[in-house]
């Protein structure tokens, strides 16, 4: 399943092998490269920027009964860097822009809801959609202007600084957005019931 593409035409996505273990892949021209975080049981890929930096999440082998064991990562060339929001029990990275700013979401220990985060260099900042149902915030993409696509069950939002603007289809009950380009154009889907 292809999940992201950059302006050079490099495509990233995920696949499952014959043992049903999921790995990421990079397609660059006619060449496919497997993306598997070292020592991880499961590696997911969420996106790629124009510098070829890949962002995603992996599940390590230390998963316990609370489900702890998810971490975000950035792959730059052949170097993987793990991402964990400070104090979190689980963390997933879901988007990266050309400045290397990473967005994702994390769980606090023993919590069921998620919070969004922005990682800019070594600085993490947390954020939540003010109207979030169940207090869940899922940032999914970031463009070079720093605009972030954020989702909470049922509604997508455009985050610009501290301003959250709902993204709703005029006839849709639920709206899901998962991408934004540098011009601010947004892609996603909606569910319409008649």
């Amino acid at each position: 399943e292809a999940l992201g593409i950059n302006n050079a035409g490099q495509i990233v996505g995920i696949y499952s092998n014959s043992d049903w273990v999921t790995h990421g892949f990079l397609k660059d021209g006619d060449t496919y490269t497997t993306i598997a975080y070292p020592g991880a049981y499961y590696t997911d890929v969420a996106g790629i920027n124009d510098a070829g930096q890949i962002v995603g999440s992996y599940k390590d082998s230390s998963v316990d009964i609370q489900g702890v064991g998810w971490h975000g990562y950035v792959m730059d060339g052949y170097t993987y860097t793990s991402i964990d929001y400070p104090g979190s029990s689980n963390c997933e990275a879901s988007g990266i822009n050309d400045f290397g700013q990473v967005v994702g979401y994390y769980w606090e220990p023993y919590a069921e809801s998620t919070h969004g985060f922005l990682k800019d260099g070594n600085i993490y900042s947390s954020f939540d959609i003010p109207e979030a149902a169940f207090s869940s915030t899922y940032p999914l993409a970031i463009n070079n202007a720093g605009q972030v696509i954020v989702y909470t069950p049922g509604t997508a939002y455009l985050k610009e600084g501290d301003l959250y603007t709902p993204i709703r289809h005029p006839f849709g009950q639920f709206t899901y957005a998962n991408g934004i380009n540098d011009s601010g154009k947004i892609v996603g889907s909606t569910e319409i019931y008649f």
Side-chain angles (χ1 to χ4, degrees):
E1 177 182 7
L3 297 170
I5 187 169
N6 65 12
N7 286 323
Q10 296 174 306
I11 298 169
V12 292
I14 56 173
Y15 72 94
S16 296
N17 64 17
S18 60
D19 294 327
W20 296 99
V21 176
T22 300
H23 300 288
F25 73 83
L26 167 65
K27 181 182 184 295
D28 191 359
D30 293 328
T31 303
Y32 284 87
T33 303
T34 293
I35 299 170
Y37 193 94
Y41 172 73
Y42 175 106
T43 303
D44 192 2
V45 173
I48 184 170
N49 66 13
D50 286 345
Q53 295 172 310
I54 296 169
V55 69
S57 304
Y58 70 94
K59 184 178 184 181
D60 64 24
S61 57
S62 69
V63 177
D64 65 16
I65 197 163
Q66 285 85 25
V68 174
W70 284 98
H71 311 273
Y73 72 87
V74 172
M75 179 182 160
D76 191 356
Y78 295 101
T79 302
Y80 291 86
T81 302
S82 187
I83 296 174
D84 286 301
Y85 188 87
S88 66
S89 60
N90 284 300
C91 185
E92 297 194 33
S94 52
I96 187 168
N97 66 16
D98 292 340
F99 300 108
Q101 295 173 313
V102 175
V103 293
Y105 46 95
Y106 69 94
W107 289 259
E108 294 174 321
Y110 308 104
E112 294 182 16
S113 60
T114 64
H115 306 280
F117 74 85
L118 168 68
K119 181 180 183 294
D120 190 358
N122 292 321
I123 299 171
Y124 288 87
S125 55
S126 178
F127 58 89
D128 290 298
I129 299 170
E131 299 86 16
F134 312 111
S135 299
S136 293
T137 298
Y138 301 97
L140 300 175
I142 183 170
N143 67 10
N144 289 338
Q147 296 171 307
V148 179
I149 294 298
V150 188
Y151 177 77
T152 191
T155 305
Y157 290 83
L158 172 63
K159 179 183 184 307
E160 299 178 277
D162 292 330
L163 177 65
Y164 293 82
T165 304
I167 302 166
R168 294 191 178 104
H169 186 279
F171 303 109
Q173 271 73 17
F174 302 101
T175 302
Y176 177 79
N178 58 0
I180 184 169
N181 69 13
D182 290 335
S183 299
K185 295 187 176 165
I186 298 166
V187 295
S189 61
T190 192
E191 295 180 24
I192 300 174
Y193 300 103
F194 294 100

